[in-house]
Amino acid sequence: MAKLNMVKALNLALLEEMERDPDVLTIGEDVGVDGGVFRVTEDLHRRFGSRRVIDTPLAEAAIIGCSVGMAIYGLKPICEIQFSGFAFQCFHQIENHAARYRQRTQGRFHCQMVVRMPYGGGVRALEHHSESEEQFYAHIPGLKMVIPSGPRTARALLTAAIRDPDPVIFFEHKGLYHAAKEEVPDESEAMPIGRAQIAQEGSRLTLIAYGAMLRVALEAAETLQAEDGVTPEVIDLLTISPLDRETLVASVAKTGRAVVVHEAPLSFGPGAEIAASIMDGAFLSLEAPIRRVAAYDVPFVGFAREKASVPDVARVLAAARETLTF
């Protein structure tokens, strides 16, 4: 197996699916000759040409609107929005059209398309480049909301998203693009959308995270094991919607405690739905209140203070120890 970073793993998934299915294409600003703002689409234009790797003007609404039309026609577009903070220019196309066509046409038309968006802080970018707004898309019926945590899950989940008959919002954390290399199978691999993974087996506490926060949760778990003698169970959600409630409830029924970690703002964020799901399914097993570690309820603060805004290991440890000693 080759060792790839997340950019190369995503590029591999795009290459494999475009070779497998002539109806798959990619569209967005600079995805062609330049290979994408983060080079995820590098070399695809040379291989597949400008009819399947389509450069667009700076027009997010047009990217998604054209893709909805192509999807209804039978093509399978993969859209790239350069930063998730720019996606509100096309939000109405996603919410009013992409998400609704299956229901609107009583199943006669699907809208098979993927919208890839880099998201998240920690790379010293300006506002509109670092937000974590997955909660908006998770709230919309008709959409799936996927966030990989590393190269292997990125390749396997993007493959599954491209093959999914319904629209998938696919968030890629910028801080993970070059963070680490990981072995990726030589053969094409697809992971089921809507299933979480147990990243670390444990007891007494469940840490729940996704995207770049999985690395923070795993580092906190390592410190808890070394300094407190506690080995938490760590869950990598991978899909925010549909949420894998079964895995969450089973884990907390075993450990009795839970801390949820995400970069989205605290209020009305994914942690609230996760906590409610655990309360519904494992209330009698809980030995302490569920804690959430999240970004603060303010607009993203910009690079000068982003370290204070994005959840870190110290905040996760504080929440975990408070939960363990409740």
Side-chain angles (χ1 to χ4, degrees):
M1 290 193 286
K3 278 196 167 185
L4 303 178
N5 63 28
M6 201 161 99
V7 167
K8 295 296 185 185
L10 290 164
N11 180 266
L12 178 61
L14 293 170
L15 171 64
E16 290 173 334
E17 290 306 294
M18 292 184 74
E19 286 181 335
R20 185 187 66 83
D21 186 344
D23 287 335
V24 174
L25 58 91
T26 187
I27 178 171
E29 298 155 10
D30 298 327
V31 298
V33 176
D34 288 345
V37 64
F38 292 103
R39 303 297 179 262
V40 172
T41 57
E42 190 168 38
D43 205 36
L44 297 180
H45 185 268
R46 182 185 66 79
R47 287 173 175 264
F48 299 102
S50 56
R51 291 179 64 86
R52 295 184 64 195
V53 183
I54 303 171
D55 272 325
T56 72
L58 190 67
E60 285 80 7
I63 294 169
I64 302 301
C66 289
S67 297
V68 169
M70 288 190 283
I72 293 171
Y73 180 72
L75 300 173
K76 298 162 187 172
I78 307 160
C79 317
E80 179 177 297
I81 301 299
Q82 288 196 342
F83 296 90
S84 65
F86 300 155
F88 290 96
Q89 301 296 328
C90 55
F91 190 79
H92 67 292
Q93 294 284 1
I94 294 173
E95 198 276 339
N96 285 346
H97 301 296
R100 296 174 183 244
Y101 259 98
R102 178 195 281 269
Q103 184 184 45
R104 182 177 288 159
T105 63
Q106 298 182 343
R108 286 185 295 131
F109 292 100
H110 295 225
C111 202
Q112 184 167 354
M113 58 186 286
V114 180
V115 185
R116 296 181 36 247
M117 302 189 209
Y119 84 104
V123 294
R124 299 179 63 79
L126 304 174
E127 66 168 338
H128 301 309
H129 293 70
S130 300
E131 288 81 357
S132 296
E133 294 164 331
E134 56 270 28
Q135 67 275 17
F136 288 103
Y137 305 100
H139 184 68
I140 300 172
L143 295 181
K144 297 182 175 72
M145 176 72 239
V146 176
I147 306 183
S149 56
R152 183 167 183 175
T153 58
R155 187 269 198 110
L157 285 167
L158 182 56
T159 299
I162 295 168
R163 298 177 185 179
D164 195 283
D166 292 309
V168 178
I169 307 298
F170 196 91
F171 268 25
E172 302 160 7
H173 197 288
K174 300 187 299 295
L176 295 178
Y177 274 147
H178 299 282
K181 291 185 177 180
E182 192 174 48
E183 287 189 338
V184 174
D186 295 329
E187 299 298 322
S188 180
E189 181 183 42
M191 293 179 67
I193 291 175
R195 296 289 299 275
Q197 282 189 336
I198 305 293
Q200 174 180 297
E201 297 275 357
S203 61
R204 294 190 60 194
L205 171 67
T206 299
L207 297 176
I208 301 160
Y210 54 87
M213 288 296 101
L214 178 68
R215 297 166 67 89
V216 174
L218 287 170
E219 189 175 341
E222 187 177 344
T223 302
L224 285 170
Q225 187 170 7
E227 297 180 3
D228 301 72
V230 175
T231 303
E233 187 142 294
V234 181
I235 293 179
D236 182 4
L237 275 184
L238 297 172
T239 304
I240 309 304
S241 178
L243 188 63
D244 185 356
R245 292 179 170 83
E246 182 179 344
T247 296
L248 296 173
V249 167
S251 178
V252 177
K254 180 175 71 172
T255 66
R257 299 173 174 86
V259 173
V260 188
V261 188
H262 61 66
E263 273 189 69
L266 178 72
S267 296
F268 310 100
E273 180 63 28
I274 292 166
S277 298
I278 293 170
M279 289 291 288
D280 283 343
F283 174 70
L284 295 178
S285 300
L286 284 170
E287 299 184 38
I290 301 164
R291 291 293 310 274
R292 293 174 288 161
V293 182
Y296 302 108
D297 292 334
V298 296
F300 195 81
V301 294
F303 61 82
R305 289 179 170 77
E306 66 180 356
K307 285 187 176 179
S309 177
V310 176
D312 59 11
V313 173
R315 288 176 61 192
V316 177
L317 284 173
R321 285 168 174 154
E322 186 176 317
T323 302
L324 286 164
T325 56
F326 177 81

